Amino acid sequence: MNGFAVALEPANLLWCFVGVFLGTVVGILPGLGPPATIAMLLPLTFNMNPAGAIIMLAGIYYGAKYGGSTTSILMNVPGESASVVTCIDGYQMAKKGRAGAALGIAAIASFVAGTVGVLGLMLVAPPIAKMALSFSSPEYFALMSLGLALVVLLAGRSIVKALLAALLGLWIASVGTDLFSSTSRFTFGRMELLSGIDFVVVAIGVFALAEVLANMEAREETQLLPMPKGLKNLLPTLQDLKDCRFAFVNGSVVGFLVGALPGGGSTIASFLSYGLEKAVSPRREQFGTGVIEGVAAPEGANNSETGGALVPLLTLGIPGSGTTAILLAALVLWGFKPGPLFIPEHPALFWGLVASMYIGNVMLLILNLPLVPLFAQVLRMPVYVLYPLILGVSMVGVYSVSASMFDLALLMVFGLLGYLMRKLDYPSAPLILGLALGAGMERALRQSLMMSEGSLSILGSRPISAVMLSFAVLVLLIPVFGKLNKWRLKALEQE
Amino acid sequence: MKLRPSLVTLAALLAASAACAQGFKPTRTVELVVHTGPGGGSDVLARAIAIMVEKEKLLPVRMQVVNRAGGNSAVAAAFLAEKRGDPNTLGLFTGVWLQTPLVSTEAKVTLRDLTPIARLVLEPAVIAVKADAPYKTLAEFIEAAKKNPGQLKQSGGSNTSRDNVVRQLLQKSTGTRWAYISFPGGGERIAALLGGHVNIMVIEPEEAGEHIRAGNMRVLAQVSEKRLAKFPDVPTLKEAGFDVPVVPQVRGVVAPPGIPKENVAFWEDFFRRLARTPSWQKYIEDNQFEDGYQNAADLAKFYDEFTDRMREILKDAGVKTVR
């Protein structure tokens, strides 16, 4: 197609490379994200031809998703909110000496899912956009309830502790200004809390800082994170690739579909994909200890989500996420009017962009895979260098988001909270999940009730939300079934 | 005569102060503070302004956009208040900056605490429904709302946003009632309308433009004093028979407190010149804004009128005001 003709022009190839390279760097740095980077580069784009400009900016968008996994796996520091789920199993793999395998599978899963996402954008964008319109607040509430129900699967030993952690996350999400009535909630009179507590601050505090604090009190000689030995651990093995077969599919599909929803996002996409993978995996009890599918699924999901998020942007002119909002602004500033008629009226731009995304994903795979052993060298650093580095990177990352000392103080508070949770054996993933979903869930529920004049039946009378809610209930009941089954077997044994 | 020497001195003093005013020039990159993140409404306008400044060479230095999102403009306003006396920092305010201090105790900085410079634009809006909706005029919608009180739904921003203000004013003047559902992002509001989950919305004319062209949306009325050039066949609220005040979405410029008068005069003059450049005129036309330029003194008056009116409207809407 002539899309490739546009994308393969030498200038556009160069812009593609610049974009994906910058994106990878931005993804690695915690705090600085694609929206801010794209905003900074906007003035430079005015003298460029629009095709090259959008190719570069899109490259930053999906390139950042590749880079985000690096700090998650090596240092338990989520590069951005979409990479939080990768920390769960990725960091555990690094602790077991398989950092290289984790980084490698993240790159491969990102490539597969990213390509599937572009395929989806190319082939099914208009019907998916239409389907996405039928999603509204009741369906979003049901989707997020399903995501929250998956907390049960993140529970580890104690379901009660997991639920408590999730509730704490939901409470933290409620801090701020209520959208509907403009009342302040839990702001303690502080202006900085008016727009709530930033997800990145909590995630970095509870994961990275808590890890550092917990390790600092170790009595024995501080051990290095094991350096991956042998090619087996520097890159994923064939066995690893086989184990991840379903994860590749899972990540691609879930990410793309959730991304296409105007209210969806990469955080919920990665959580849902992780939860689904855990639910169907034969070794689900091992999730959380360093299972490779637990890295492949969310990493894939947050990449195909970029393809999905471009669907409402390019077919309807509706931005679905923070980065697509700035991309929309860029298109508007260049003189385009994104809307339902954008693709028919600017086919060269659209198909050029799509073709460039294929090329960009290939470039990213080539960039990232060979760098895996290089990144794994980070683990050679002794802990007395690595941990201050983690602290420094975390703090700079948080400060770069909002330039606020208050956020740094919050980071400390959540670091301490995360440390306490570890000592008391509370799992931290449910807290992060509750925080990620809390605001959206509450909003969706209240919007649904406004739509139905206060009647909860709206959740059950709409087919999509009814189905998802039933799944959520089923998921919540899994442990009950498990216990009933054990009890039954025990009773049988005693006879 | 005895008066002449003092007249001469007076003239000399005036000339000197005029020279001083012309003597002020920004000495470093000018920062334009906005309260949204990258890609938000104010951010886009601020970046457009920065580009125009560069193109038309209006300043000897660069202008740069600084994002201070948070607290519905409270963080940006507080940031400006901290920069007391700094002549190289400006803020791009919108209606939110005026409203948030009315409803949040934490938002301590009002526009009166800062130095008003100029009002730039007024943004009209249109009232839109899905193309296959049964209402051809706003009157038909109001009729339907009368028959089914509280059943019809409107999507919009927060409950202090202009969308809700229009709704409150219309409800009060027609004695009807329909539900209002807040969506934080413009995209979600449009999606709710196009997906048939709400019946009506207030939307910026540029945003609606493409959907109207594609045949997905229809416009019932315009929230504007006179008809917009791109909507010649759509009645204004008044023409449609609804005698409600047109509450504009306003955007303008403020400076930190404690700025000497000559700086204020410089910036006032600067924005007046900006408002006359062809790039600005084109931008206003393309985005269907109304040129609402007001100088600093008029802006201060406008602010008082606007907040008084807002207080009343919010009280009617059942929202607690704290200032």
Side-chain angles (χ1 to χ4, degrees), chain A residues 246-297:
Chain A
F246 181 70
F248 290 145
V249 173
N250 170 4
S252 313
V253 172
V254 170
F256 182 74
L257 289 177
V258 174
L261 300 173
S266 51
T267 318
I268 180 160
S270 48
F271 266 114
L272 276 177
S273 176
Y274 182 83
L276 180 62
E277 188 64 27
K278 184 169 174 175
V280 305
S281 164
R283 42 181 188 166
R284 65 177 73 102
E285 298 80 36
Q286 295 176 34
F287 271 62
T289 63
V291 170
I292 198 155
E293 309 91 276
V295 176

Short mmCIF file of all heavy atoms in Angstrom, two decimals, chain A residues 246-297:
data_model
loop_
_atom_site.label_atom_id
_atom_site.label_comp_id
_atom_site.label_asym_id
_atom_site.label_seq_id
_atom_site.Cartn_x
_atom_site.Cartn_y
_atom_site.Cartn_z
N PHE A 246 0.09 -18.17 25.41
CA PHE A 246 -1.22 -17.55 25.66
C PHE A 246 -1.07 -16.10 26.10
O PHE A 246 -1.89 -15.25 25.79
CB PHE A 246 -1.99 -18.34 26.72
CG PHE A 246 -3.34 -17.76 27.00
CD1 PHE A 246 -4.34 -17.84 26.04
CD2 PHE A 246 -3.61 -17.09 28.17
CE1 PHE A 246 -5.59 -17.29 26.26
CE2 PHE A 246 -4.85 -16.53 28.41
CZ PHE A 246 -5.85 -16.63 27.46
N ALA A 247 0.00 -15.84 26.85
CA ALA A 247 0.20 -14.47 27.33
C ALA A 247 0.30 -13.50 26.17
O ALA A 247 -0.19 -12.37 26.25
CB ALA A 247 1.45 -14.40 28.20
N PHE A 248 0.96 -13.92 25.08
CA PHE A 248 1.07 -13.02 23.93
C PHE A 248 -0.31 -12.68 23.38
O PHE A 248 -0.62 -11.52 23.09
CB PHE A 248 1.91 -13.65 22.81
CG PHE A 248 3.38 -13.77 23.15
CD1 PHE A 248 4.12 -14.85 22.71
CD2 PHE A 248 4.02 -12.80 23.90
CE1 PHE A 248 5.47 -14.96 23.01
CE2 PHE A 248 5.36 -12.91 24.21
CZ PHE A 248 6.09 -13.99 23.76
N VAL A 249 -1.15 -13.70 23.25
CA VAL A 249 -2.49 -13.48 22.72
C VAL A 249 -3.30 -12.61 23.69
O VAL A 249 -3.91 -11.62 23.31
CB VAL A 249 -3.21 -14.83 22.51
CG1 VAL A 249 -4.65 -14.59 22.12
CG2 VAL A 249 -2.50 -15.64 21.46
N ASN A 250 -3.27 -13.01 24.93
CA ASN A 250 -3.97 -12.32 26.01
C ASN A 250 -3.62 -10.84 26.03
O ASN A 250 -4.49 -9.96 25.94
CB ASN A 250 -3.56 -13.03 27.30
CG ASN A 250 -4.00 -12.30 28.54
OD1 ASN A 250 -4.68 -11.30 28.48
ND2 ASN A 250 -3.60 -12.83 29.67
N GLY A 251 -2.33 -10.56 26.10
CA GLY A 251 -1.89 -9.17 26.17
C GLY A 251 -2.35 -8.39 24.96
O GLY A 251 -2.85 -7.27 25.07
N SER A 252 -2.18 -8.98 23.77
CA SER A 252 -2.52 -8.25 22.56
C SER A 252 -4.00 -7.89 22.54
O SER A 252 -4.38 -6.75 22.30
CB SER A 252 -2.21 -9.08 21.32
OG SER A 252 -0.94 -9.64 21.42
N VAL A 253 -4.84 -8.89 22.79
CA VAL A 253 -6.27 -8.67 22.63
C VAL A 253 -6.83 -7.75 23.73
O VAL A 253 -7.51 -6.77 23.45
CB VAL A 253 -7.02 -10.02 22.63
CG1 VAL A 253 -8.51 -9.80 22.67
CG2 VAL A 253 -6.63 -10.81 21.40
N VAL A 254 -6.51 -8.09 24.98
CA VAL A 254 -7.04 -7.30 26.10
C VAL A 254 -6.58 -5.85 25.99
O VAL A 254 -7.35 -4.91 26.12
CB VAL A 254 -6.59 -7.90 27.45
CG1 VAL A 254 -6.93 -6.97 28.59
CG2 VAL A 254 -7.24 -9.25 27.67
N GLY A 255 -5.27 -5.68 25.69
CA GLY A 255 -4.74 -4.32 25.60
C GLY A 255 -5.43 -3.53 24.51
O GLY A 255 -5.84 -2.39 24.73
N PHE A 256 -5.58 -4.12 23.34
CA PHE A 256 -6.19 -3.39 22.23
C PHE A 256 -7.62 -3.01 22.55
O PHE A 256 -8.03 -1.86 22.35
CB PHE A 256 -6.13 -4.24 20.96
CG PHE A 256 -6.69 -3.54 19.77
CD1 PHE A 256 -5.98 -2.53 19.15
CD2 PHE A 256 -7.94 -3.87 19.27
CE1 PHE A 256 -6.49 -1.86 18.05
CE2 PHE A 256 -8.46 -3.21 18.17
CZ PHE A 256 -7.74 -2.21 17.55
N LEU A 257 -8.40 -3.96 23.07
CA LEU A 257 -9.81 -3.67 23.32
C LEU A 257 -9.97 -2.62 24.41
O LEU A 257 -10.76 -1.69 24.28
CB LEU A 257 -10.55 -4.96 23.71
CG LEU A 257 -10.73 -5.95 22.57
CD1 LEU A 257 -11.41 -7.21 23.07
CD2 LEU A 257 -11.54 -5.33 21.45
N VAL A 258 -9.23 -2.77 25.49
CA VAL A 258 -9.36 -1.79 26.58
C VAL A 258 -8.87 -0.43 26.11
O VAL A 258 -9.45 0.61 26.46
CB VAL A 258 -8.60 -2.26 27.83
CG1 VAL A 258 -8.60 -1.19 28.90
CG2 VAL A 258 -9.21 -3.54 28.38
N GLY A 259 -7.81 -0.42 25.30
CA GLY A 259 -7.31 0.86 24.80
C GLY A 259 -8.31 1.57 23.93
O GLY A 259 -8.39 2.80 23.93
N ALA A 260 -9.13 0.79 23.19
CA ALA A 260 -10.09 1.41 22.29
C ALA A 260 -11.25 2.06 23.03
O ALA A 260 -11.98 2.85 22.45
CB ALA A 260 -10.63 0.37 21.31
N LEU A 261 -11.43 1.74 24.30
CA LEU A 261 -12.50 2.37 25.06
C LEU A 261 -12.05 3.76 25.47
O LEU A 261 -10.99 3.92 26.05
CB LEU A 261 -12.80 1.57 26.34
CG LEU A 261 -13.25 0.12 26.15
CD1 LEU A 261 -13.34 -0.55 27.50
CD2 LEU A 261 -14.57 0.07 25.43
N PRO A 262 -12.87 4.79 25.20
CA PRO A 262 -12.43 6.14 25.57
C PRO A 262 -12.11 6.28 27.05
O PRO A 262 -11.30 7.10 27.43
CB PRO A 262 -13.63 7.01 25.19
CG PRO A 262 -14.32 6.26 24.12
CD PRO A 262 -14.13 4.81 24.43
N GLY A 263 -12.72 5.47 27.89
CA GLY A 263 -12.42 5.60 29.31
C GLY A 263 -11.41 4.59 29.81
O GLY A 263 -11.10 4.54 30.99
N GLY A 264 -10.92 3.75 28.92
CA GLY A 264 -9.96 2.74 29.35
C GLY A 264 -8.57 3.33 29.47
O GLY A 264 -8.38 4.52 29.30
N GLY A 265 -7.59 2.53 29.75
CA GLY A 265 -6.23 3.05 29.88
C GLY A 265 -5.28 1.90 30.02
O GLY A 265 -5.68 0.76 30.21
N SER A 266 -3.98 2.22 29.95
CA SER A 266 -3.02 1.13 29.96
C SER A 266 -2.89 0.49 31.33
O SER A 266 -2.53 -0.68 31.44
CB SER A 266 -1.66 1.61 29.47
OG SER A 266 -1.29 2.77 30.16
N THR A 267 -3.21 1.23 32.40
CA THR A 267 -3.09 0.62 33.72
C THR A 267 -4.10 -0.49 33.88
O THR A 267 -3.76 -1.61 34.27
CB THR A 267 -3.32 1.67 34.83
OG1 THR A 267 -2.66 2.87 34.47
CG2 THR A 267 -2.78 1.18 36.14
N ILE A 268 -5.36 -0.18 33.55
CA ILE A 268 -6.35 -1.24 33.74
C ILE A 268 -6.12 -2.35 32.74
O ILE A 268 -6.35 -3.53 33.04
CB ILE A 268 -7.79 -0.69 33.70
CG1 ILE A 268 -8.76 -1.85 33.91
CG2 ILE A 268 -8.11 -0.01 32.40
CD1 ILE A 268 -10.10 -1.45 34.34
N ALA A 269 -5.63 -2.01 31.55
CA ALA A 269 -5.36 -3.06 30.55
C ALA A 269 -4.32 -4.02 31.09
O ALA A 269 -4.48 -5.24 30.97
CB ALA A 269 -4.88 -2.42 29.24
N SER A 270 -3.26 -3.49 31.70
CA SER A 270 -2.21 -4.39 32.17
C SER A 270 -2.69 -5.22 33.36
O SER A 270 -2.37 -6.40 33.45
CB SER A 270 -0.93 -3.63 32.50
OG SER A 270 -1.19 -2.51 33.30
N PHE A 271 -3.49 -4.62 34.24
CA PHE A 271 -4.00 -5.40 35.37
C PHE A 271 -4.93 -6.52 34.90
O PHE A 271 -4.86 -7.66 35.35
CB PHE A 271 -4.78 -4.51 36.34
CG PHE A 271 -3.95 -3.98 37.46
CD1 PHE A 271 -3.69 -2.63 37.58
CD2 PHE A 271 -3.43 -4.84 38.42
CE1 PHE A 271 -2.92 -2.13 38.61
CE2 PHE A 271 -2.66 -4.35 39.47
CZ PHE A 271 -2.41 -2.99 39.56
N LEU A 272 -5.83 -6.19 33.98
CA LEU A 272 -6.77 -7.19 33.49
C LEU A 272 -6.03 -8.33 32.80
O LEU A 272 -6.37 -9.50 32.99
CB LEU A 272 -7.76 -6.56 32.51
CG LEU A 272 -8.96 -5.87 33.14
CD1 LEU A 272 -9.79 -5.23 32.05
CD2 LEU A 272 -9.80 -6.86 33.91
N SER A 273 -5.03 -7.96 32.01
CA SER A 273 -4.30 -9.00 31.29
C SER A 273 -3.56 -9.90 32.26
O SER A 273 -3.55 -11.13 32.10
CB SER A 273 -3.33 -8.31 30.33
OG SER A 273 -2.57 -9.24 29.68
N TYR A 274 -2.96 -9.31 33.27
CA TYR A 274 -2.26 -10.09 34.29
C TYR A 274 -3.23 -11.03 35.00
O TYR A 274 -2.96 -12.21 35.20
CB TYR A 274 -1.60 -9.14 35.29
CG TYR A 274 -0.80 -9.81 36.38
CD1 TYR A 274 0.52 -10.20 36.15
CD2 TYR A 274 -1.34 -10.04 37.64
CE1 TYR A 274 1.26 -10.80 37.15
CE2 TYR A 274 -0.60 -10.64 38.64
CZ TYR A 274 0.70 -11.01 38.40
OH TYR A 274 1.44 -11.61 39.38
N GLY A 275 -4.37 -10.47 35.38
CA GLY A 275 -5.36 -11.27 36.10
C GLY A 275 -5.87 -12.43 35.25
O GLY A 275 -6.01 -13.56 35.72
N LEU A 276 -6.12 -12.14 33.97
CA LEU A 276 -6.61 -13.18 33.08
C LEU A 276 -5.56 -14.28 32.93
O LEU A 276 -5.87 -15.48 32.95
CB LEU A 276 -6.95 -12.57 31.72
CG LEU A 276 -7.47 -13.51 30.66
CD1 LEU A 276 -8.78 -14.13 31.11
CD2 LEU A 276 -7.68 -12.77 29.34
N GLU A 277 -4.31 -13.86 32.77
CA GLU A 277 -3.23 -14.83 32.62
C GLU A 277 -3.15 -15.72 33.84
O GLU A 277 -2.99 -16.93 33.75
CB GLU A 277 -1.92 -14.07 32.41
CG GLU A 277 -0.74 -14.93 32.06
CD GLU A 277 -0.91 -15.62 30.73
OE1 GLU A 277 -1.64 -15.10 29.88
OE2 GLU A 277 -0.34 -16.72 30.58
N LYS A 278 -3.25 -15.08 35.01
CA LYS A 278 -3.15 -15.87 36.24
C LYS A 278 -4.32 -16.83 36.35
O LYS A 278 -4.17 -17.96 36.81
CB LYS A 278 -3.12 -14.92 37.45
CG LYS A 278 -2.91 -15.65 38.75
CD LYS A 278 -2.60 -14.70 39.89
CE LYS A 278 -2.56 -15.50 41.19
NZ LYS A 278 -2.17 -14.72 42.34
N ALA A 279 -5.51 -16.37 35.92
CA ALA A 279 -6.69 -17.21 36.06
C ALA A 279 -6.60 -18.46 35.21
O ALA A 279 -7.09 -19.51 35.60
CB ALA A 279 -7.93 -16.40 35.69
N VAL A 280 -5.97 -18.36 34.03
CA VAL A 280 -5.97 -19.52 33.14
C VAL A 280 -4.67 -20.30 33.19
O VAL A 280 -4.55 -21.35 32.57
CB VAL A 280 -6.25 -19.11 31.68
CG1 VAL A 280 -7.53 -18.32 31.59
CG2 VAL A 280 -5.09 -18.33 31.13
N SER A 281 -3.70 -19.80 33.93
CA SER A 281 -2.40 -20.47 33.88
C SER A 281 -2.40 -21.72 34.75
O SER A 281 -2.96 -21.74 35.83
CB SER A 281 -1.33 -19.50 34.36
OG SER A 281 -0.16 -20.20 34.67
N PRO A 282 -1.74 -22.77 34.29
CA PRO A 282 -1.67 -23.99 35.12
C PRO A 282 -0.83 -23.80 36.36
O PRO A 282 -0.96 -24.56 37.32
CB PRO A 282 -1.02 -25.02 34.17
CG PRO A 282 -0.39 -24.23 33.08
CD PRO A 282 -1.14 -22.95 32.96
N ARG A 283 0.02 -22.77 36.40
CA ARG A 283 0.82 -22.61 37.61
C ARG A 283 0.48 -21.28 38.29
O ARG A 283 1.35 -20.47 38.60
CB ARG A 283 2.31 -22.67 37.30
CG ARG A 283 2.76 -21.94 36.06
CD ARG A 283 4.25 -22.11 35.90
NE ARG A 283 4.77 -21.28 34.82
CZ ARG A 283 6.04 -21.04 34.63
NH1 ARG A 283 6.94 -21.56 35.44
NH2 ARG A 283 6.45 -20.28 33.63
N ARG A 284 -0.82 -21.07 38.48
CA ARG A 284 -1.25 -19.77 38.97
C ARG A 284 -0.78 -19.46 40.38
O ARG A 284 -0.62 -18.31 40.74
CB ARG A 284 -2.76 -19.63 38.87
CG ARG A 284 -3.57 -20.56 39.74
CD ARG A 284 -5.04 -20.21 39.55
NE ARG A 284 -5.51 -20.66 38.25
CZ ARG A 284 -6.22 -21.75 38.05
NH1 ARG A 284 -6.54 -22.52 39.08
NH2 ARG A 284 -6.62 -22.10 36.84
N GLU A 285 -0.57 -20.48 41.19
CA GLU A 285 -0.13 -20.17 42.56
C GLU A 285 1.24 -19.53 42.58
O GLU A 285 1.63 -18.89 43.55
CB GLU A 285 -0.07 -21.43 43.43
CG GLU A 285 -1.39 -22.13 43.61
CD GLU A 285 -1.73 -22.97 42.42
OE1 GLU A 285 -0.80 -23.56 41.81
OE2 GLU A 285 -2.91 -23.04 42.07
N GLN A 286 2.02 -19.75 41.49
CA GLN A 286 3.38 -19.21 41.49
C GLN A 286 3.44 -17.77 41.05
O GLN A 286 4.49 -17.15 41.11
CB GLN A 286 4.27 -20.04 40.57
CG GLN A 286 4.45 -21.46 41.05
CD GLN A 286 5.26 -22.24 40.06
OE1 GLN A 286 6.16 -21.70 39.41
NE2 GLN A 286 4.94 -23.52 39.91
N PHE A 287 2.32 -17.22 40.58
CA PHE A 287 2.35 -15.83 40.15
C PHE A 287 2.70 -14.95 41.35
O PHE A 287 2.18 -15.12 42.43
CB PHE A 287 0.97 -15.42 39.61
CG PHE A 287 0.83 -15.68 38.14
CD1 PHE A 287 0.90 -16.95 37.63
CD2 PHE A 287 0.63 -14.62 37.27
CE1 PHE A 287 0.77 -17.19 36.27
CE2 PHE A 287 0.49 -14.84 35.91
CZ PHE A 287 0.56 -16.13 35.41
N GLY A 288 3.58 -14.00 41.11
CA GLY A 288 4.01 -13.16 42.22
C GLY A 288 5.38 -13.57 42.72
O GLY A 288 6.01 -12.85 43.49
N THR A 289 5.84 -14.76 42.28
CA THR A 289 7.17 -15.19 42.71
C THR A 289 8.17 -15.13 41.57
O THR A 289 9.31 -15.52 41.74
CB THR A 289 7.13 -16.65 43.22
OG1 THR A 289 6.75 -17.49 42.13
CG2 THR A 289 6.15 -16.79 44.35
N GLY A 290 7.73 -14.69 40.41
CA GLY A 290 8.66 -14.59 39.30
C GLY A 290 8.32 -15.54 38.16
O GLY A 290 9.16 -16.31 37.72
N VAL A 291 7.09 -15.45 37.70
CA VAL A 291 6.65 -16.30 36.60
C VAL A 291 6.70 -15.50 35.33
O VAL A 291 6.22 -14.37 35.28
CB VAL A 291 5.20 -16.77 36.88
CG1 VAL A 291 4.63 -17.45 35.68
CG2 VAL A 291 5.18 -17.67 38.09
N ILE A 292 7.26 -16.07 34.28
CA ILE A 292 7.53 -15.23 33.11
C ILE A 292 6.27 -14.75 32.40
O ILE A 292 6.26 -13.66 31.84
CB ILE A 292 8.51 -15.95 32.16
CG1 ILE A 292 9.12 -14.94 31.20
CG2 ILE A 292 7.82 -17.07 31.40
CD1 ILE A 292 10.44 -15.34 30.66
N GLU A 293 5.19 -15.56 32.45
CA GLU A 293 3.97 -15.07 31.80
C GLU A 293 3.44 -13.84 32.49
O GLU A 293 2.73 -13.03 31.91
CB GLU A 293 2.84 -16.11 31.81
CG GLU A 293 3.18 -17.47 31.31
CD GLU A 293 3.65 -18.36 32.44
OE1 GLU A 293 4.85 -18.26 32.75
OE2 GLU A 293 2.85 -19.13 32.97
N GLY A 294 3.77 -13.71 33.79
CA GLY A 294 3.32 -12.56 34.54
C GLY A 294 3.99 -11.27 34.11
O GLY A 294 3.59 -10.19 34.50
N VAL A 295 5.05 -11.41 33.33
CA VAL A 295 5.70 -10.23 32.75
C VAL A 295 5.21 -10.03 31.32
O VAL A 295 4.94 -8.92 30.90
CB VAL A 295 7.24 -10.42 32.76
CG1 VAL A 295 7.92 -9.25 32.07
CG2 VAL A 295 7.75 -10.57 34.18
N ALA A 296 5.09 -11.16 30.60
CA ALA A 296 4.72 -11.07 29.19
C ALA A 296 3.33 -10.47 29.00
O ALA A 296 3.11 -9.63 28.14
CB ALA A 296 4.80 -12.44 28.54
N ALA A 297 2.37 -10.91 29.82
CA ALA A 297 0.98 -10.48 29.62
C ALA A 297 0.82 -8.97 29.80
O ALA A 297 0.34 -8.29 28.89
CB ALA A 297 0.04 -11.26 30.53
#
